[in-house]
Amino acid sequence: MDERLPQFLHRPVQILWFDSQEFIVVMATIFVAVIVGGTIGWLLIGVLLLFIPWKRSKPRGFIPHLAWRWGLARFRNYPGPTQTRFYE
């Protein structure tokens, strides 16, 4: 009997046709674009249209790790992004 395990134990949360991380980025970008308006607002929407396909080419959990690398987020019991030596 040959059984296969899926790569993920559950399907990612999907809102409309975006996963949860993409949805947050889309809503925040649209919100800022509406507030700013004008050419900069349209530029933000254009950047968003380029960002979504680029993000989909990356693995799941890419945005939180990107925020960790930029120093915007911290993971508990996880070394900092600039740490190069590890001692156990």
Side-chain angles (χ1 to χ4, degrees):
M1 180 181 236
D2 186 28
E3 296 287 331
R4 291 184 172 217
L5 290 174
Q7 183 179 4
F8 303 111
L9 297 178
H10 56 82
R11 300 180 88 194
V13 176
Q14 190 171 6
I15 304 169
L16 298 175
W17 52 88
F18 303 111
D19 72 358
S20 59
Q21 294 176 356
E22 288 175 356
F23 185 74
I24 292 171
V25 170
V26 167
M27 288 294 112
T29 303
I30 291 174
F31 182 74
V32 171
V34 167
I35 290 174
V36 172
T39 306
I40 295 175
W42 286 108
L43 183 67
L44 285 172
I45 299 297
V47 169
L48 179 66
L49 293 175
L50 294 173
F51 176 77
I52 294 296
W54 177 75
K55 191 263 177 211
R56 288 184 180 170
S57 69
K58 305 296 182 196
R60 272 176 79 184
F62 175 73
I63 292 179
H65 282 87
L66 191 64
W68 169 79
R69 181 172 290 170
W70 289 346
L72 301 174
R74 300 191 111 203
F75 296 139
R76 195 166 44 128
N77 299 327
Y78 203 74
T82 58
Q83 188 155 358
T84 57
R85 293 185 182 184
F86 301 98
Y87 300 103
E88 291 185 33

